[in-house]
Amino acid sequence: MFDRPTIMKFGGTSIEDADAFTRVARIVQMQQDTLLIVIVSAMSRVTDALLAGAQGAAEGDVYNAIKGVEEQLARHADIAAQQLKSTQEIHAFQEAIERARRELSDLFHTIAARLMPFPFLQDVVVSHGERLSAALLAGVLREHELPASYVDARRCIVTNDEHTRATPLAKETNQHTRKELLPLLEAAQIPVLGGFIAASRDGSTTTLGRGGSDYTAALIGAALDAREIQIWTDVAGVLTADPRVVPNARTVPRMSYREAAELAYFGAKVLHPKTIQPAVDSSIHVRICNSRAPEKAGTIVCAATEAAPHTVKAIAHKTGVVLVHITSTRRLGTHGFLHSLFEIFDRHKIVVDVVATSEVSVSLSVEDSRALPAVLKDVEALGTVTIDERQAIICIIGEGLRETPGVAARVFNSISDINIALISQGASSINLTFAIAESSAREAVMRLHEALFEQEDEATPANNRQAAHP
Ligand code: ADP
Ligand code: ASP
Ligand code: MG
């Protein structure tokens, strides 16, 4: 038996150009004394381009689909030309690009001819992003004298056949991952795998949903009982708010699995919402680090007892939410009403995020409103339905919030002029969640950050503050 490995996952922005690949190689070198497994996303913008190509082909525009993909293949070729020195490496990667070009062109024609189901073909198209980035990174790591070995992630992650957002099958995934990766680790190799992509039991290519490479890292980590899962991204760990809204958001040094799960679920893109569960099941620490500043500590996500309770850790928000209000003076209090209501959403596969009830009405929020018209038709049988579109959910997160007095007062005082459409606290003791109009979301998040983090700092002596780097 040997030491527990470390999983290092690099996101698309961490490999966006040749310099970024060099940074990744240096980060891997710094940890090469331990057993490592590297997971990598497609290079930034590549998945979007492949998806646009597939969509274009479905609309009959194969020419532009191929053209869009050519640009991305050229980016890979460019980086290979700068990074790979040995003729063998150059040749091998040129062949990989050629293969991808041929396959993508065939796929786009098949899509346009409508010969097979679209989601099935779309998954094969997008899989090329991670297949190419992982093959290229393995080559770059070898050029940096690291014993890297490309592994097709579809040989490890086994899922059901729900294309574009497949669910992993834990037992098979564990078995396949161990069978593929343990011999490499025993041979002192560093396996390099693309995230996000997987295969169903019958071997067809599936994907885990947008941002799914984090999830791959956690699944592989759980299968191999990893020492730690490191998520390397373009910001300094989990921040107190989305940095695109609050530029002076700061690093949260430590947070619990539950806090991280809520944060991811309520919109913080830094972690895929499903990432945490495999880590929790196996009690593996998740560390979020900045590939542009690897010396900084980032965020460590661990069990609740190891994270300081009773503080607001972060503010998450997500836009594009629809609120559905159902009023029924007759039926709400009756046995089975809520069951009938949720059964409708369940049947249409719509996830409900937040719920609040009164004596005569129920309000709930949904993010994916595509199937909403069909749902509303069914819900109307239960009562009068109204909807509010273009809403945002704001979520204040911190372990022990329910027992901490004064948080709600501070929150609502700071946005007292903004209309709140729904409030929910209590389902989990770690968040306070509410809905407002999407147009007020940025303003609200900025003000809340100021009230909960910036004013707090002014009032707290410097040595009592949450240290950014413990
Ligand atoms: P990667 O390509 O590494 O997977 P993502 O773009 O998926 O990176 O996630 C990182 C981005 O998440 C950051 O650039 C940032 O804009 C966004 N983000 C949103 N909320 C937060 C938050 N609370 N903390 C850190 N980053 C956040
Ligand atoms: N490449 C995939 C995406 O862009 C997966 C990921 O980056 O995690 O969604
Ligand atoms: Mg991501």
Side-chain angles (χ1 to χ4, degrees), residues 113-348:
R114 300 181 186 275
L115 292 177
M116 277 191 247
F118 180 68
F120 168 89
L121 294 170
Q122 178 183 298
D123 271 349
V124 191
V125 169
V126 282
S127 74
H128 281 284
E130 268 72 8
R131 284 153 70 186
L132 282 175
S133 64
L136 179 54
L137 181 60
V140 172
L141 295 181
R142 285 191 293 268
E143 292 288 359
H144 284 78
E145 277 155 32
L146 289 158
S149 185
Y150 170 73
V151 177
D152 190 330
R154 294 173 297 174
R155 300 178 66 83
C156 297
I157 311 287
V158 186
T159 67
N160 66 6
D161 54 10
E162 202 177 339
H163 287 281
T164 77
R165 48 173 178 186
T167 303
L169 306 172
K171 204 166 141 218
E172 281 106 316
T173 296
N174 289 349
Q175 276 168 0
H176 287 228
T177 300
R178 295 176 71 80
K179 182 163 162 270
E180 290 293 323
L181 302 188
L182 287 179
L184 289 170
L185 292 177
E186 268 160 25
Q189 291 284 304
I190 303 177
V192 181
L193 295 82
F196 177 56
I197 63 175
S200 65
R201 277 186 179 137
D202 67 9
S204 68
T205 300
T206 56
T207 55
L208 302 177
R210 294 306 306 265
S213 296
D214 298 341
Y215 196 17
T216 305
L219 293 166
I220 302 272
L224 299 177
D225 190 25
R227 197 173 59 81
E228 181 172 283
I229 297 161
Q230 299 174 355
I231 306 287
W232 290 86
T233 183
D234 62 343
V235 286
V238 175
L239 305 175
T240 45
D242 187 335
R244 290 163 297 186
V245 176
V246 182
N248 56 348
R250 64 204 61 177
T251 305
V252 181
R254 252 180 136 71
M255 63 196 317
S256 69
Y257 291 126
R258 290 201 304 168
E259 289 170 334
E262 295 276 343
L263 191 79
Y265 188 74
F266 284 106
K269 199 182 161 212
V270 67
L271 262 191
H272 185 278
K274 291 182 185 155
T275 307
I276 293 299
Q277 200 51 49
V280 178
D281 294 343
S282 316
S283 301
I284 303 169
H285 285 186
V286 179
R287 193 184 289 278
I288 296 111
C289 317
N290 187 350
S291 64
R292 293 168 191 197
E295 67 293 348
K296 294 199 173 153
T299 299
I300 180 107
V301 183
C302 50
T305 45
E306 300 165 59
H310 303 293
T311 48
V312 175
K313 291 284 170 52
I315 305 163
H317 75 283
K318 69 176 168 191
T319 49
V321 169
V322 179
L323 298 184
V324 182
H325 311 279
I326 303 104
T327 307
S328 167
T329 41
R330 212 162 38 84
R331 292 215 31 206
L332 200 60
T334 61
H335 173 74
F337 176 83
L338 286 177
H339 173 80
S340 317
L341 180 62
F342 287 116
E343 191 273 323
I344 295 172
F345 283 86
D346 196 41
R347 189 153 28 86
H348 291 273

Side-chain angles (χ1 to χ4, degrees), residues 319-320 389-392 418 436-444 446:
T319 49
E389 289 178 297
R390 288 186 283 281
Q391 301 290 301
I418 294 175
I436 57 176
E438 192 177 87
S439 54
S440 302
R442 288 183 81 85
E443 174 69 23
M446 282 192 285

Side-chain angles (χ1 to χ4, degrees), residues 2 26 71 103 153 156 173 211 265 272 306 308 351 364 389 395 467:
F2 47 83
R26 297 219 171 102
E71 263 171 52
E103 277 187 37
C156 297
T173 296
Y265 188 74
H272 185 278
E306 300 165 59
V351 179
L364 42 84
E389 289 178 297
C395 183

